[in-house]
Amino acid sequence: MIGRMAMMAALVGLALPAAAGARPLDDLLQGFDDACDYSDALAGLLQSSYAFARKEGAIAIPAGYEAVFGPPSVRPQDEYLHIVLPVTGGTWRGVPVKEIEVYITALASGFSYHAVIFPADALEAAEAAFRERGLAAQEKLAKQDEAGFGWDTGFVVTDGVPRYQCDLST
């Protein structure tokens, strides 16, 4: 009996670091919450998702993040293509990330919307980490929007789902 309990405790102990050791996406997402200043790795990932959605290429997962992303999906939604890059075991600023969401048009255009989606049960943590950052980023982005496109960024909750979004459509 004591042997089984020791074995169970050891197994639970081995499992905990894996759950607690989620892969930080902070380097990949660096700048995303600072007026949509994308890292080169994120920009490459997003550009490859456009090619993938338009059946013109493959997803290029940045080196070191291969185990974090699940298989992408694409589905038409109205006049857009909705791309989902599922995230397993990834965090951003300590908040679990569920997926990266992308909306584009089927043909190349100036429309691009990107969001980091958090699980609904991480709402409080996401809000604490991103609400103020989002307000500051929106103010900064508005100053950069010289053409008046109405670019948008920040932390929002849509249908109970917390997200940090960047809409740089032209």
Side-chain angles (χ1 to χ4, degrees):
M1 181 72 163
I2 292 176
R4 275 191 222 150
M5 289 177 67
M7 177 64 88
M8 290 300 291
L11 290 174
V12 168
L14 289 174
L16 286 177
R23 172 75 160 102
L25 302 175
D26 295 33
D27 288 343
L28 178 66
L29 297 173
Q30 176 150 2
F32 190 76
D33 61 347
D34 183 19
C36 305
D37 182 18
Y38 296 19
S39 69
D40 290 342
L42 180 59
L45 173 62
L46 295 173
Q47 287 296 318
S48 73
S49 77
Y50 303 171
F52 176 79
R54 294 177 178 138
K55 298 180 171 89
E56 299 169 351
I59 295 284
I61 304 295
Y65 294 97
E66 299 87 354
V68 177
F69 287 96
S73 66
V74 179
R75 66 179 168 84
Q77 187 173 347
D78 300 323
E79 68 267 24
Y80 306 108
L81 295 175
H82 179 215
I83 306 161
V84 174
L85 305 171
V87 174
T88 55
T91 63
W92 183 25
R93 298 194 184 279
V95 181
V97 173
K98 179 181 176 187
E99 63 195 37
I100 295 177
E101 174 182 74
V102 178
Y103 279 94
I104 59 169
T105 55
L107 301 175
S109 74
F111 179 83
S112 63
Y113 170 87
H114 312 111
V116 175
I117 310 298
F118 305 102
D121 63 358
L123 173 60
E124 282 186 32
E127 187 169 33
F130 294 102
R131 180 158 309 277
E132 293 302 317
R133 296 185 73 77
L135 294 171
Q138 179 58 42
E139 186 175 312
K140 182 177 178 179
L141 188 63
K143 290 177 184 172
Q144 296 172 359
D145 186 12
E146 295 171 0
F149 292 120
W151 292 339
D152 185 43
T153 188
F155 176 79
V156 296
V157 179
T158 305
D159 297 328
V161 177
R163 66 184 59 226
Y164 195 98
Q165 63 188 20
C166 282
D167 184 351
L168 300 177
S169 299
T170 57

